[in-house]
Amino acid sequence: IWKLICARPRPIHLVAATLAALLSVHSLFPNSLLLFAAIAGATVVALRQRWWRSAFLIVGIGAIAALSLLPYAGIIHATRSWSVLCKAGIGLGWIFTMLYRALQSGGSMAAGLWISAAALALLALIVAVTKPRIFRMDAGETNLAIYAGVTLLIATGTTICFLTWVGWTTSLWYYLPLMATAVVCLDSVAKILRKNAIVSMVNSLVVLFAAMALSPLALQATGIRLTNVDLTTAAVAQSAQPNDLIVVDNYFYGISFNRYYHGQAPWVSVPDVNDFSLHRWDLLTDSMRRPRPIQPVLDRIDATLKGGHDVYVVGFALTNRAATAPSALPAAPAASSGWSLWPYVRRWTSEIAYTVQTHAAHGQMIMVQSVQPISTAEDVHAIVVTGWKETDVAAVRSR
């Protein structure tokens, strides 16, 4: 897109920019925000230089990319039926906190470098618009500073507004596309400032110092396991028999379990759904609409234990026995929690834990060893319970 900011863009650059724009928005929907920022930044420069033809072509690329998403309009509209599950009432405070944590993922020094570079880019934008002679910028450098600065500002603003609007509890990796866009913008500004040998040398030393400081953290991160589900499933599959039952007590672990498990024993998730190819929020919505959707799973646990077989619980594998049976939540959205998913997930998991702890005669943790540290995002545990003992938990459930 930067190569289109001239009086007469070359056709090869126009085709390349169009293909890049299409590939971008079809790779990740939020990339539309970043493409919009780049288009807006380029249009500002083109209009400022009175390159009307270039401005028209640049806006046309954005329009083509936007129109290419029309086939997904129905799918995007259908997400309204379940997207409420992802909302957590977050605000700007949460967004800025998570953004800072993402910048700080390389350490406090990394966050300082990010913030300093962003401030420098903003300063370069102001100087380029008001008094470019201060930094002895020529026309090309002025255009580059404006393009990079406007793109960075709009990309940051639209991303923050979008995440605030959807209200999802974002994780750190949600901010990675924005950070990648920012890197290109900040590096462009740094290029403008390298006017002489001294500044170039200082720039190189800063980059070298940053690399030396951040590389150990990056190297340490490469040694972290992002999941231990493969290890856990292997341990469970080695012991579980065809007549046993495996219960994944959190649906979100079911996707990884389905990927790695190759044992003989049947398994169910909580709640039990029929598709683990991706996160089926719509199926979770259907489960929340039903009263006691995990009752079939509880009944299978009881039947398996009564038959003298083992039940394996994978997930949180709670071991703290509750004093009383957890009360069931009414079908959504009648409960006080409305369509908030996590109260239901916690209650369903507690019901599984209480059932196996109350009805099983014996229980044992399944030890899974890993020489690498495991990410907290998917660090699962497993227990196996066996034997049957009569209690009044069924009566408690019916009440």
Side-chain angles (χ1 to χ4, degrees):
I1 292 175
W2 163 248
K3 290 182 178 294
L4 301 179
I5 308 176
C6 59
R8 301 187 66 83
R10 296 176 58 186
I12 185 63
H13 294 157
L14 183 63
V15 172
T18 303
L19 290 177
L22 290 171
L23 290 173
S24 176
V25 298
H26 286 274
S27 298
L28 190 68
F29 283 142
N31 279 355
S32 303
L33 304 174
L34 307 179
L35 177 62
F36 172 77
I39 293 292
T43 304
V44 167
V45 176
L47 293 178
R48 190 169 180 268
Q49 296 294 331
R50 300 182 182 275
W51 293 331
W52 312 117
R53 183 173 179 270
S54 299
F56 176 79
L57 293 174
I58 292 169
V59 172
I61 291 176
I64 292 173
L67 290 174
S68 72
L69 294 176
L70 284 180
Y72 301 107
I75 297 174
I76 296 174
H77 183 268
T79 61
R80 294 184 179 183
S81 64
W82 55 259
S83 60
V84 66
L85 298 185
C86 306
K87 293 183 179 294
I90 64 172
L92 285 175
W94 172 275
I95 298 296
F96 281 109
T97 298
M98 295 301 293
L99 176 58
Y100 181 76
R101 286 181 57 191
L103 300 180
Q104 200 182 22
S105 58
S108 299
M109 180 179 295
L113 290 174
W114 276 104
I115 295 173
S116 299
L120 186 62
L122 181 59
L123 175 62
L125 172 61
I126 296 174
V127 171
V129 173
T130 57
K131 296 181 179 181
R133 294 182 180 178
I134 294 180
F135 288 156
R136 290 179 293 176
M137 295 183 183
D138 58 27
E141 292 172 338
T142 301
N143 291 340
L144 181 57
I146 294 175
Y147 173 59
V150 172
T151 299
L152 179 58
L153 282 177
I154 295 180
T156 304
T158 54
T159 300
I160 291 174
C161 290
F162 172 76
L163 295 177
T164 305
W165 175 65
V166 298
W168 295 356
T169 52
T170 54
S171 299
L172 299 185
W173 49 84
Y174 280 64
Y175 302 89
L176 185 57
L178 173 61
M179 293 168 65
T181 301
V183 164
V184 178
C185 296
L186 299 176
D187 188 60
S188 300
V189 173
K191 175 186 176 182
I192 298 172
L193 300 179
R194 294 195 290 268
K195 289 289 187 178
N196 53 54
I198 295 178
V199 176
S200 296
M201 185 178 299
V202 171
N203 179 83
S204 299
L205 290 175
V206 170
V207 172
L208 179 62
F209 178 75
M212 293 175 59
L214 304 182
S215 294
L217 293 172
L219 181 62
Q220 181 182 3
T222 63
I224 297 177
R225 266 183 160 268
L226 298 184
T227 181
N228 71 340
V229 172
D230 59 324
L231 302 177
T232 304
T233 54
V236 171
Q238 188 175 10
S239 303
Q241 301 301 311
N243 292 325
D244 295 336
L245 176 67
I246 303 171
V247 179
V248 180
D249 66 10
N250 185 326
Y251 161 80
F252 295 100
Y253 294 145
I255 296 175
S256 293
F257 191 91
N258 181 65
R259 176 184 179 88
Y260 292 110
Y261 179 67
H262 304 290
Q264 299 177 345
W267 70 276
V268 294
S269 70
V270 179
D272 192 18
V273 299
N274 57 12
D275 185 5
F276 294 96
S277 59
L278 72 166
H279 289 106
R280 290 293 303 273
W281 297 92
D282 55 331
L283 298 181
L284 288 178
T285 305
D286 294 340
S287 297
M288 292 173 63
R289 288 193 178 102
R290 303 197 310 268
R292 300 197 60 78
I294 71 166
Q295 188 61 50
V297 178
L298 299 176
D299 294 339
R300 288 189 65 177
I301 292 175
D302 290 349
T304 303
L305 292 176
K306 287 180 180 180
H309 304 291
D310 298 343
V311 173
Y312 295 79
V313 182
V314 177
F316 293 119
L318 302 178
T319 56
N320 295 328
R321 178 172 176 176
T324 58
S327 58
L329 289 174
S336 59
S337 55
W339 280 110
S340 181
L341 174 63
W342 302 113
Y344 285 86
V345 171
R346 287 191 292 267
R347 192 64 56 88
W348 294 336
T349 301
S350 297
E351 287 190 68
I352 296 296
Y354 184 82
T355 296
V356 298
Q357 293 163 3
T358 306
H359 274 172
H362 308 284
Q364 181 179 354
M365 291 287 298
I366 297 178
M367 303 304 298
V368 178
Q369 301 294 333
S370 174
V371 296
Q372 299 170 283
I374 302 170
S375 169
T376 56
E378 199 165 86
D379 183 6
V380 303
H381 305 279
I383 61 173
V384 56
V385 295
T386 186
W388 172 261
K389 60 181 179 182
E390 291 288 348
T391 66
D392 59 351
V393 66
V396 172
R397 283 189 199 150
S398 64
R399 293 197 295 269

